[in-house]
Amino acid sequence: MRSEILRGTILFAHGSRDPLWSKPIEAVAHRIQTMSPEVQVRCAYLELMAPDLPSSVADVAALGVTRITIVPMFLGVGKHAREDLPLLVDALRLSHPQIAFDLRAAIGEAPQMIELMAQMALS
């Protein structure tokens, strides 16, 4: 029996019909994987793209992950981040009781992101 905690991170984004739209999300996932190879990193999309959140969770759960951090890759906190995502995570907690889920705030709310965007706008 394993005593170590296996971690996963899922970057959750809206999705688009344009396949190029997901490139920045995938670039962040790749960077996380490079920085922390021990963390299982996946992307998931609310609509219009695959995989969806339940599929990404099932993928890392099959690897024995016991903790999953879900990072909403939204700049603003609209209905999806405020209402839809918490309902999805509640359902995931029921279907995967062996996994501890950490639902983060939308990335656009992070002070570091606000600072970075301001610096980029001024440069």
Side-chain angles (χ1 to χ4, degrees), residues 1-7 38 64-67:
M1 178 113 182
R2 258 185 242 171
S3 61
E4 65 187 281
I5 295 175
L6 298 176
R7 296 181 9 202
E38 74 282 2
V65 166
T66 57
R67 300 188 68 77

Side-chain angles (χ1 to χ4, degrees), residues 8-121:
T9 296
I10 297 178
L11 304 177
F12 182 72
H14 187 274
S16 171
R17 286 181 181 88
D18 183 347
L20 295 178
W21 178 90
S22 65
K23 293 294 182 194
I25 308 301
E26 292 169 5
V28 173
H30 179 72
R31 183 70 183 125
I32 292 169
Q33 196 69 79
T34 300
M35 294 168 64
S36 296
E38 74 282 2
V39 177
Q40 295 297 317
V41 182
R42 301 292 186 277
C43 298
Y45 304 97
L46 179 64
E47 57 188 17
L48 305 172
M49 299 183 94
D52 62 10
L53 186 57
S55 297
S56 290
V57 168
D59 185 36
V60 295
L63 299 173
V65 166
T66 57
R67 300 188 68 77
I68 296 176
T69 300
I70 299 171
V71 182
M73 302 297 283
F74 299 114
L75 289 180
V77 183
K79 182 180 180 292
H80 293 313
R82 194 175 57 252
E83 297 175 18
D84 299 335
L85 182 54
L87 291 174
L88 283 170
V89 174
D90 286 345
L92 290 167
R93 286 183 174 121
L94 289 174
S95 61
H96 298 279
Q98 75 282 12
I99 297 175
F101 288 92
D102 175 19
L103 175 56
R104 299 283 173 90
I107 200 160
E109 292 183 332
Q112 306 96 310
M113 181 60 76
I114 293 167
E115 179 69 23
L116 179 59
M117 287 188 291
Q119 288 176 13
M120 291 176 70

